[in-house]
């Protein structure tokens, strides 16, 4: 399973890359707007930092022809390892088909249903991105929708992978880890919270406290640096 970072905050991305086994970055227009800078300068900095890892960048256009033109510009500026995120409208799917013919990789995004995912995959998307928490907010089961999509794609001959997005709780992430989902993208906060546990902190504190009772003269080497 691949883990990507869902952020356009270069400092957060740099920090998370040091610690977490991640293999790319996903962005969207609202994440880029939070940076309050020229979006392409932000994206170029992210690309320079992550090297050839996956970068997912969303198209803002609505008509297929415009999406295709924008996708060509995105990949020209940011390189071939860039996946153009395209929301699953009829025009979006038309653009995915054309971009497949042109050899440009796409991620069909804002997926809420199995039908949307399957059509996008048939059209030639490399990834489909179901929005787990937003599906839940509509009263449906977000994790099950993502798993159903994965099952359908794995049962098919299609090469399209699932890139699950929009998580607000750890249990949503863990349900997909159990089923070995292809890929997930997590906000910096969600990614960090995967390691955050009060039990772990308490255990470390207990061990430190116990170890401090050991007399220094009984130690041949000392490894603690604090
Ligand atoms: O990248 C798109 C997706 O992650 C949206 O997430 O948190 O806005 O529902 P969110």
């Amino acid at each position: 399973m691949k883990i990507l970072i869902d952020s356009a905050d270069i400092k957060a991305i740099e920090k998370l890359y040091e610690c977490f086994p991640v293999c790319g970055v996903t962005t969207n227009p609202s994440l880029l707007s939070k940076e309050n800078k020229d979006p392409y300068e932000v994206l170029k900095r992210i690309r320079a930092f992550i090297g050839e890892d996956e970068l997912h960048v969303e198209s803002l256009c609505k008509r297929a022809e415009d999406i295709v033109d924008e996708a060509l510009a995105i990949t020209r500026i940011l390189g071939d390892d860039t996946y153009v995120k395209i929301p699953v409208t009829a025009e979006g799917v038309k653009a995915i088909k054309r971009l497949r013919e042109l050899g440009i990789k796409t991620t069909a995004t804002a997926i809420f249903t199995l039908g949307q995912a399957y059509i996008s995959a048939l059209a030639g998307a490399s990834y489909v991105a179901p929005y787990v928490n937003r599906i839940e907010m509509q009263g449906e089961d977000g994790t099950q929708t993502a798993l159903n999509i994965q099952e359908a794609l794995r049962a098919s001959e299609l090469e399209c992978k699932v890139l699950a997005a929009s998580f607000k709780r750890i249990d949503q992430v863990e349900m997909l880890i159990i089923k070995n989902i292809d890929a997930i993208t997590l906000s910096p906060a969600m990614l960090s919270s995967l390691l955050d546990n009060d039990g772990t902190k308490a255990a470390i504190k207990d061990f430190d406290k116990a170890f401090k009772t050991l007399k220094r003269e009984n130690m041949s080497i000392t490894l603690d640096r604090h």
Side-chain angles (χ1 to χ4, degrees), residues 67-160:
I67 297 170
V68 170
D69 287 346
E70 195 184 13
L72 292 169
I74 288 171
T75 50
R76 190 177 61 245
I77 295 166
L78 298 166
D80 291 341
D81 302 304
T82 306
Y83 292 74
V84 181
K85 289 175 71 178
I86 302 176
V88 279
T89 60
E91 288 291 307
V93 173
K94 185 175 168 187
I96 289 169
K97 274 180 79 175
R98 178 70 186 129
L99 288 166
R100 175 68 167 210
E101 289 160 9
L102 295 173
I104 307 276
K105 294 182 281 221
T106 59
T107 298
T109 194
I111 299 263
F112 281 69
T113 68
L114 175 62
Q116 290 174 323
Y118 200 74
I119 293 294
S120 306
L122 273 178
S126 298
Y127 281 110
V128 288
Y131 277 11
V132 173
N133 196 67
R134 290 190 189 223
I135 294 170
E136 275 192 23
M137 282 161 56
Q138 284 196 343
E140 305 291 328
D141 187 333
T143 52
Q144 194 54 53
T145 301
L147 293 173
N148 290 346
I149 292 169
Q150 170 142 300
E151 193 180 337
L153 294 182
R154 285 188 181 168
S156 74
E157 303 276 295
L158 302 166
E159 282 172 22
C160 184

Side-chain angles (χ1 to χ4, degrees), residues 2-3 13 24 44 60 69 75 94-95 103 110 128 131 136-137 140 142 158 161 168 171 174 191 196 198 204:
K2 291 182 185 175
I3 301 180
I13 293 167
K44 282 197 265 183
L60 287 165
D69 287 346
T75 50
K94 185 175 168 187
V128 288
Y131 277 11
E136 275 192 23
M137 282 161 56
E140 305 291 328
L158 302 166
K161 303 283 183 203
K168 291 290 173 281
D171 66 284
E174 291 183 343
L191 185 53
D196 201 16
D198 288 345
I204 293 167

Side-chain angles (χ1 to χ4, degrees), residues 9 15-16 30 35 37 43 79-80 119 121 137 146 188 196 206 218:
D9 176 347
K15 200 163 162 226
L16 291 164
S30 72
E35 297 308 300
K37 293 179 192 133
L43 290 165
D80 291 341
I119 293 294
M137 282 161 56
D196 201 16
D206 287 348
N218 289 339

